[in-house]
Amino acid sequence: MITGFLVLIASLFFLYPQIFYCELIRLSDFRSEKGQIYFSPDIKPVHYKKLKSIINRSEARIDSFFVGKKSTPIIIICSNAQQYQKYCSSTEGAGCSLGTPWGNSFVILNTQGLNVDVISHEMSHTELLARLGWWTIATEIPQWFNEGIALMLDRRFVNNPDKIGRYFDYMDEWLYYTGGGQQILELRDMASIKGFFNNNQKQVMLAYMSAGLEISYWLILSEENGLQQLIADMQNGKSFEEAYSRAEATKRAAWFKKIPTNPLRFQDSTKISE
């Protein structure tokens, strides 16, 4: 039995070494004052206050959007690409997030490009994880939903506080990346992590803009409590599809008359002109 356990641990380390590195961050040379934020040894303590301030602003954004913050991820701040790759298993971007089946979560950041938007994006993922659990996120939540919600807190692409204006802005971005609606990426093709990210940079950007378009539209239809209702329904055993539709059901008909229909919801959206 012990041998089998050791084999399992070794297999997990081989497949997901970054999770083990994150779990063992306390034993590394990264510095932490209270065990919640770990700074690269290359970052001078004089910079800690500024970095903490950026993190606090991101946490406030999460608290406002989700109507309370429940997640408490360990935050690991790296100072170079080598450190970032070790803990994130990627060299791309300025931030990533990891969650474990046993409930721990981590936000890994690179000081190069670090800002409130990057941190808020990654904390959105850990917040959904805290509320729905690892298994539900892994098996039921489509990646376009996870990324679309994160984009509502990440203002690098669209920065419009008005919900209708935000939908129109994402529509503009989506039209640009689809060549006027001629090269559409369907939601069903972005449901998995592989489907969302396993493409060239332009296609990945199209996936992000499509997710932002759909979620900004859904948040209009579902109004103020849509996300909270979806989370509550899924916590009570409803499927994602049922909870997602139920959240917008009450006001859907009224909003259909006021705003242009989301082209991703056309029955056949190969081309919006068809």
Side-chain angles (χ1 to χ4, degrees), residues 181-230:
Q182 300 302 300
Q183 297 177 335
I184 291 175
L185 187 59
E186 303 282 0
L187 291 176
R188 62 176 176 268
D189 297 324
M190 301 182 288
S192 67
I193 293 177
K194 182 179 180 180
F196 197 97
F197 292 107
N198 193 26
N199 280 297
N200 59 45
Q201 185 176 2
K202 184 176 180 180
Q203 283 295 102
V204 172
M205 280 302 300
L206 172 56
Y208 272 118
M209 295 307 105
S210 299
L213 177 66
E214 170 59 27
I215 294 301
S216 61
Y217 183 70
W218 179 74
L219 287 174
I220 293 173
L221 301 187
S222 59
E223 298 193 335
E224 297 298 327
N225 299 319
L227 181 59
Q228 287 69 42
Q229 182 180 333
L230 178 141

Side-chain angles (χ1 to χ4, degrees), residues 115-135:
N115 55 50
V116 174
D117 292 315
V118 169
I119 301 172
S120 299
H121 185 115
E122 301 308 330
M123 283 187 171
S124 172
H125 294 319
T126 60
E127 188 66 24
L128 272 182
L129 182 72
R131 291 168 182 265
L132 294 176
W134 181 88
W135 181 251

Side-chain angles (χ1 to χ4, degrees), residues 3-141:
T3 301
F5 177 74
L6 292 175
V7 170
L8 176 61
I9 294 297
S11 299
L12 288 173
F13 179 78
F14 177 77
L15 293 171
Y16 308 106
Q18 67 276 13
I19 291 179
F20 283 83
Y21 289 133
C22 288
E23 290 285 5
L24 297 174
I25 190 68
R26 296 170 181 82
L27 305 178
S28 73
D29 58 354
F30 275 56
R31 304 189 188 103
S32 180
E33 297 173 349
K34 297 181 180 180
Q36 196 65 38
I37 305 174
Y38 287 83
F39 299 93
S40 163
D42 300 325
I43 299 174
K44 295 180 180 179
V46 69
H47 298 304
Y48 289 3
K49 184 177 180 180
K50 180 179 180 180
L51 292 170
K52 288 179 180 177
S53 175
I54 297 173
I55 292 169
N56 289 339
R57 288 163 60 197
S58 301
E59 290 178 330
R61 197 177 285 186
I62 294 293
D63 183 83
S64 176
F65 185 79
F66 282 91
V67 193
K69 180 178 178 293
K70 293 189 176 181
S71 60
T72 54
I74 298 296
I75 300 172
I76 300 172
I77 305 179
C78 305
S79 64
N80 56 60
Q82 291 74 28
Q83 291 175 351
Y84 184 70
Q85 184 174 23
K86 177 179 179 179
Y87 291 101
C88 184
S89 191
S90 173
T91 57
E92 298 181 2
C96 76
S97 56
L98 300 173
T100 68
W102 47 91
N104 294 342
S105 62
F106 304 88
V107 171
I108 301 93
L109 303 168
N110 192 338
T111 51
Q112 298 178 3
L114 186 151
N115 55 50
V116 174
D117 292 315
V118 169
I119 301 172
S120 299
H121 185 115
E122 301 308 330
M123 283 187 171
S124 172
H125 294 319
T126 60
E127 188 66 24
L128 272 182
L129 182 72
R131 291 168 182 265
L132 294 176
W134 181 88
W135 181 251
T136 298
I137 294 293
T139 61
E140 293 194 48
I141 299 298

